[in-house]
Structure formats: structure tokens, C-alpha cells
Amino acid sequence: MKKSALQLARACYAPKLPEAIKAGVRCTEGAATESVADQKEIAELFPNTYGMPVLRFEKSDEVRQYPAINVGVILSGGQAPGGHNVISGLFDGLKAMNSESRLFGFLLGPAGLIDHKYKELTADIIDEYRNTGGFDIIGSGRTKLETKAQFDSGLEILRALDIKALVIIGGDDSNTNACVLAEYYKQINAGVQVIGCPKTIDGDLKNEMIETSFGFDTACKVYGEMIGNIQRDCNSAQKYWHFIKLMGRSASHIALECALQTQPNICLVSEEVEKKQMTLDDIVTYIANIVAARAAKGNNYGVALIPEGIIEFIPAMKNLISELNDFLAHHAAEFAMVPRNEQIKYIINHISPENAAIYASLPERVARQLTLDRDPHGNVQVSLIETEKLLGEMVGRKLAQMKEAGKFVGKFSTQYHFFGYEGRCATPSNFDADYCYSLGYTASLLIGEGKTGYMSSVRNTTRPASEWIAGGVPVTMMMNMERRHGEMKPVIQKALVELDGEPFKYFAAHRDSWAHETMYVYPGPIQYFGPTEVCDQPTVTLALEQRTQCKHGERLD
Ligand code: FBP
């Protein structure tokens, strides 16, 4: 297959590993752990995997023999740059322990395990995919691995292939399911270890022991480049307001990181909207006031970042969506029969008066988008709702009123963008290439130690890779009980943007000057070769969280 010059050069890149795991290792154990909340309930649900210690790998001169082992790997959920390097790190780690070990990839996500679809990942296949973006080496999928029947079906193929360990690369839900699977296989003595790896561009699988999920770094850098380009265009023509929606199903980490990288005029943060109980009108007024203030200085242009999930954080919209979810779940067939031109009226007549009033006030396109097909979990698919257009149109209406009242004296022309899929399969940045390879390699070491119910963990990531700390964190440690589909379930706590965290505090302290002055920063494209301060920096979010200096060091004080 034809390859670009960068693909060829990138294939030769040797990802950096923590010094401690480059050769022989020994595994040290910390104290027993507890779940972040609901300790009693989680301990009862996970009698075999609860309370295990945090593990750390340290350098050792001891020469150890590891038996050959067959291992399976699954990519679960949305794509994130670096998945192929997790697999290549896992492969190299297994081969370094015993060259007879074999790796099997289950195809198109957890469904591959359940339906027995797999392929062996040999050295030539792995070499094709080193340092590349995407999940196409084996594909990914969103099938939820959660029932006993699925676990038993999986066990049949694991036994047939003599697989003794399974690595699940996924987000919070997939790792929760990995932990349930680990517990079940241990309980029935299946002899299969299960290890998780933290993936998602959304950046919401993180905690004290998992500093960041992989893919967040690259995806944000891709979006940061594109936002910077738009800002240059905007600053050159000085005639448009650009409304840019950014992926992130729930948390606003991506939008916030992009704002820290590019200093746009506006960035909404869903978690703040919820905390301040803002209405749609509050948000529209906030944006309109900034547009008017810039216009008063002759600046009829600007850039506004909008997190994809914001709609569900506006309390009134959240209620409306939840009533629509319920209503459509029970009346899907009836709704499907309603002629298109009567659908909006039909919904208004069938939901509560307060939600009907909000629904009726929405632009028709958005009202329709709220009734589109739900995802497999019954949730509205936020990536299909054009929130950027909703806000842009409502701001336009508000400005027209302000103009009549003599409070707006400028022009307001809009351009709309949605950045999401563009960044999910990008060639991993050096950070993600190194981080992912280290996560995969560490997963192989956890397998070598006979561990199960652990997530591969690589910490100290704002330091050079050689100083990174590799180990394992019991997944139960990250869990709490949450209501899901009307039932209390053990799940990994989702990490939303913390309003008292350093990244948001830095943003909040600067956003007014970014709004009223034009202080755009242009990050430019990801650089793979060159000086370390250009190529190897972590995200601004991570740098601020770890309170270290980063590429914008002088701006972070
Ligand atoms: P994961 O949480 O599975 O990593 O996926 C993240 C994400 O990219 C979200 O940002 C986005 O809302 C969603 O996936 C889109 O899903 P799909 O790929 O099914 O359209």
C-alpha cells in the first residue's frame, strides 16, 4: 500500500519507555486500597478483586523466566490516537518476556469476543501499524460487555485459543465492564486475567492514579491547530463570528484545553453552566454581550468554543431531554408514524407543559435533532445536535433586539464548525505515541505478574518519559455507585472539569481579556520531529494539573 513520506518516517519512530521498565523489573505493592466511595457496596459486589494494592514496577537486575502465554486484546468505544501503540507495546512486552507468547485481536470491539471473531496479531501486522492513528488494526465497537451470557460466550473462544489474559482498551464504561469481567472470571476460576487501559479523547477517565486518558493529547492538538487557523482567518478578514463545537460527550475537557491552547474570545464550560444553573437565555445573553462589546470597538468578529455535551448541562434542557428520552423509549413506533410536518406539534402535545414551552422555543432544526434516534443506551446523540447553530441563531435574534434598543451597533455574520472526528484518528503525538506504548508494555508486565482487575497506569507524565512511573491500579479503587437506567450500578467515576481545578481557574482568570481584546495563540500542527519543547510537551491541562511549566510556561504564571 502506498505510504506518505511522514508515514514512512513515523514507522521508524521508537517510542520512549520509562527507564524503570526497559529491562528487568520487580513489582512492588502498596497498601490495600478502597473504592473512592460506597466502599461497602463495591466490596460486596467485587469480593475477589476489591481492596488489592496499587502496584509499581521498579528496575531489577534479577533475570526472570516467564512462561509463554496467549493474550487477547479488544479496542472498545470511540477511536483515540495511540491505540495501535498500546497494542504494539503490549506485543513487544509479551515477546520480551517470552518470544513464544502470542497476541490475538478481537474484531470490531467487544462484539468480536462474544461472536468469536478474531485475528492473530503477528510481528508483520504490528509493524504496519506502529505509531499510526486509528483503530483499524482490529477495529472498534460500542457493544457493551455486561451479561453473564456474553462473558460465557467469550470464555469459550478464550479457551479454544488457550488465551490466559485479556486486555480491554476503553473508556470509563468499558473499564468498568472489564472489572466486572475480571471479577466473574476469578469467581468461576476461569484462569483468565483481565487488564484495562485508559482510552478516550474526552479526557474524562482520569483520577489520582490515571493522570490522563490516551488520545486526549493528540486530539486536542489537532483541534488546537484548526482553531488557531480559524483565528488567523478571522483576524485577517475581520468579518465573521466562528462558532466551533468540540467533541466531548459529557465533560468539557477538550473545549477547555483548546481554549488554554488558543485563547479564543469565548469558551463555554458545561460544568460551570450546570453549577451556575444557567438557562439557555443566560448563555445567549453572555455571548451576545461579548459580541456587542467587541462590536462597540469596531471588532465584528470573534471565535466561540462550545463543548459538545453542553445541552445536557443546561438544567432546563436536561429535563426536556430526559423527558424526551423516556417518552420516545415508550412511544417510538407511534412517533415513527407521525408525518414529518406534524412531529414537533405531536411532541409539544405529549410532554409536560414546562418542557413543551422550552421545546416550542427552539429553532425547528434543533427541535427535530432532539427527537432523532437514541444511542444503544437510550441517550440522545449529542454529536448530532447542532448546538453551535442553535446558539449562533439565538445570539443573532438577541442582537437584533439589542440593536432595536440601541445596545448593539455592529454586524453579526456567522460561520459554524464541528471538530470531533477530525482528531480521533490522527497520527499520535510523541506524547501519545510514548504514553500508549508504555501503557501497553505495562499491561504486559501486569500479565506477567499474574494480575487481574487492574488498569495499566503510567504516571509522572509531565516529566520526561524516562522518569515516568509504571504500575497498576485496581479498577475497584476508581469505582462508586451511580444510578444508571433506574438501577444503582458500580461504575468508574467520570472525571468532569473541576471548577476549583487549576486548568479552569487559569481560564477563568484570563477569559475576560481574551473576550474583549484579541489575544489569539496559534499552536500550529503537531510536530513529530524536532526540539523537545516543540514536540514532546503534554497538554496545558496536564501541565496545570501537575503545576509544572509547559510550552506556554511564561503564560501560566
Ligand atoms: P469514547 O468515550 O468511547 O472514547 O468516545 C468519545 C467520543 O468521541 C465522544 O467525544 C463523542 O460524543 C462520541 O465518541 C461520538 O460517538 P460515535 O463515534 O459513536 O459517533
Side-chain angles (χ1 to χ4, degrees):
M1 213 194 293
K2 193 172 172 201
K3 289 198 173 134
S4 69
L6 180 66
Q7 268 181 296
L8 292 170
R10 201 60 189 156
C12 307
Y13 177 74
K16 305 179 211 55
L17 269 182
E19 198 54 45
I21 60 170
K22 274 187 182 161
V25 294
R26 70 190 175 89
C27 181
T28 60
E29 297 193 350
T33 57
E34 292 206 315
S35 57
V36 281
D38 309 308
Q39 291 80 10
K40 189 166 166 287
E41 289 91 332
I42 308 278
E44 276 168 14
L45 288 165
F46 296 89
N48 297 288
T49 50
Y50 186 81
M52 301 184 298
V54 169
L55 306 175
R56 179 172 173 161
F57 291 110
E58 288 174 1
K59 205 177 169 75
S60 162
D61 295 331
E62 186 200 341
V63 180
R64 285 170 66 180
Q65 303 294 328
Y66 294 89
I69 183 171
N70 289 355
V71 172
V73 63
I74 298 175
L75 289 163
S76 181
Q79 287 71 254
H84 290 159
N85 270 28
V86 179
I87 295 180
S88 53
L90 174 64
F91 180 85
D92 291 351
L94 292 171
K95 292 287 185 186
M97 286 190 285
N98 189 313
S99 60
E100 298 299 312
S101 292
R102 294 166 71 189
L103 181 62
F104 294 86
F106 289 98
L107 305 182
L108 293 172
L113 177 72
I114 302 162
D115 302 336
H116 303 183
K117 305 250 166 61
Y118 65 90
K119 78 171 173 198
E120 180 165 3
L121 297 171
T122 50
D124 51 336
I125 298 177
I126 295 284
D127 286 348
E128 274 295 299
Y129 288 91
R130 287 180 193 273
N131 307 312
T132 58
F135 278 5
D136 40 325
I137 187 169
I138 47 175
S140 185
R142 289 199 183 275
T143 303
K144 266 182 152 264
L145 195 54
E146 57 183 354
T147 66
K148 182 176 172 305
Q150 292 173 331
F151 296 171
D152 290 337
S153 170
L155 192 52
E156 278 172 30
I157 187 67
L158 294 173
R159 287 206 165 124
L161 296 171
D162 195 26
I163 288 177
K164 294 285 181 351
L166 184 63
V167 176
I168 299 184
I169 302 171
D172 51 344
D173 282 342
S174 307
N175 274 287
T176 294
N177 296 339
C179 189
V180 176
L181 186 65
E183 174 68 29
Y184 177 70
Y185 284 167
K186 193 141 182 210
Q187 180 208 323
I188 64 168
N189 246 324
V192 179
Q193 303 161 240
V194 184
I195 301 293
C197 279
K199 169 236 71 162
T200 176
I201 61 162
D202 290 3
D204 55 10
L205 171 48
K206 64 176 171 183
N207 48 53
E208 202 191 327
M209 303 304 294
I210 303 294
E211 294 179 354
T212 186
S213 55
F214 79 76
F216 176 69
D217 184 276
T218 310
C220 289
K221 285 172 179 164
V222 171
Y223 307 142
E225 180 207 351
M226 296 196 291
I227 294 164
N229 294 348
I230 284 175
Q231 290 184 155
R232 273 274 200 228
D233 194 275
C234 183
N235 210 11
S236 308
Q238 308 206 343
K239 63 175 184 182
Y240 291 126
W241 265 89
H242 291 265
F243 283 70
I244 306 174
K245 183 172 77 167
L246 289 154
M247 254 191 186
R249 211 210 158 287
S250 190
S252 308
H253 296 294
I254 294 179
L256 181 57
E257 168 64 22
C258 289
L260 294 169
Q261 284 184 24
T262 61
Q263 305 191 169
N265 306 102
I266 294 170
C267 174
L268 302 176
V269 175
S270 309
E271 292 80 349
E272 184 182 29
V273 165
E274 183 170 53
K275 173 84 189 303
K276 293 184 172 166
Q277 298 274 296
M278 289 171 84
T279 62
L280 194 49
D281 187 58
D282 292 336
I283 297 171
V284 169
T285 307
Y286 169 74
I287 301 175
N289 284 340
I290 292 175
V291 174
R294 285 180 65 79
K297 290 195 206 160
N299 297 325
N300 289 301
Y301 65 94
V303 169
L305 306 187
I306 296 147
E308 178 184 61
I310 194 161
I311 200 111
E312 291 192 295
F313 284 75
I314 303 170
M317 292 297 292
K318 189 176 179 176
N319 292 339
L320 166 65
I321 290 171
S322 131
E323 186 172 357
L324 284 175
N325 284 348
D326 259 14
F327 178 77
L328 292 170
H330 295 110
H331 300 85
E334 190 182 313
F335 181 67
M337 303 300 287
V338 178
R340 189 179 150 80
N341 61 353
E342 286 174 27
Q343 284 174 345
I344 292 186
K345 204 164 106 208
Y346 169 89
I347 293 283
I348 291 174
N349 289 337
H350 285 81
I351 58 177
S352 62
E354 58 276 25
N355 282 335
I358 298 168
Y359 190 73
S361 73
L362 298 173
E364 184 186 329
R365 194 178 44 240
V366 174
R368 288 195 183 286
Q369 284 160 358
L370 287 177
T371 59
L372 291 176
D373 286 348
R374 274 32 196 168
D375 75 6
H377 313 294
N379 297 317
V380 66
Q381 299 187 58
V382 283
S383 59
L384 299 181
I385 301 175
E386 295 174 317
T387 332
E388 69 285 17
K389 292 191 182 154
L390 166 71
L391 291 175
E393 283 170 24
M394 293 183 89
V395 168
R397 283 193 223 160
K398 174 78 63 183
L399 288 167
Q401 292 165 7
M402 289 168 72
K403 196 164 233 169
E404 277 185 14
K407 293 183 182 155
F408 172 55
V409 287
K411 291 195 203 104
F412 180 64
S413 304
T414 48
Q415 293 289 346
Y416 298 110
H417 316 264
F418 169 34
F419 296 157
Y421 298 100
E422 296 82 346
R424 294 202 315 185
C425 283
T427 303
S429 60
N430 282 358
F431 177 88
D432 270 330
D434 299 345
Y435 182 53
C436 290
Y437 188 79
S438 300
L439 284 172
Y441 206 96
T442 303
S444 76
L445 297 175
L446 291 166
I447 292 169
E449 293 298 326
K451 304 296 178 187
T452 192
Y454 275 86
M455 193 185 289
S456 174
S457 147
V458 173
R459 293 184 292 131
N460 212 23
T461 51
T462 51
R463 303 290 306 154
S466 57
E467 295 171 34
W468 291 357
I469 298 168
V473 192
V475 180
T476 52
M477 190 183 170
M478 306 170 202
M479 287 190 166
N480 68 165
M481 300 296 291
E482 285 179 23
R483 184 167 293 280
R484 296 279 167 98
H485 310 297
E487 250 183 88
M488 290 307 281
K489 295 241 167 173
V491 292
I492 296 178
Q493 221 172 33
K494 205 181 254 312
L496 298 178
V497 168
E498 288 177 7
L499 302 183
D500 57 357
E502 295 302 319
F504 182 79
K505 282 199 313 203
Y506 180 86
F507 163 72
H510 293 80
R511 65 178 150 188
D512 281 348
S513 21
W514 299 350
H516 299 287
E517 292 157 45
T518 301
M519 301 176 70
Y520 302 149
V521 174
Y522 311 109
I526 294 176
Q527 299 295 304
Y528 298 97
F529 303 98
T532 188
E533 65 276 17
V534 180
C535 302
D536 294 338
Q537 296 304 319
T539 55
V540 186
T541 302
L542 195 52
L544 282 168
E545 282 171 348
Q546 308 287 312
R547 287 198 187 82
T548 57
Q549 297 299 301
C550 71
K551 62 181 168 185
H552 304 325
E554 65 288 355
R555 297 196 293 111
L556 298 182
D557 296 328

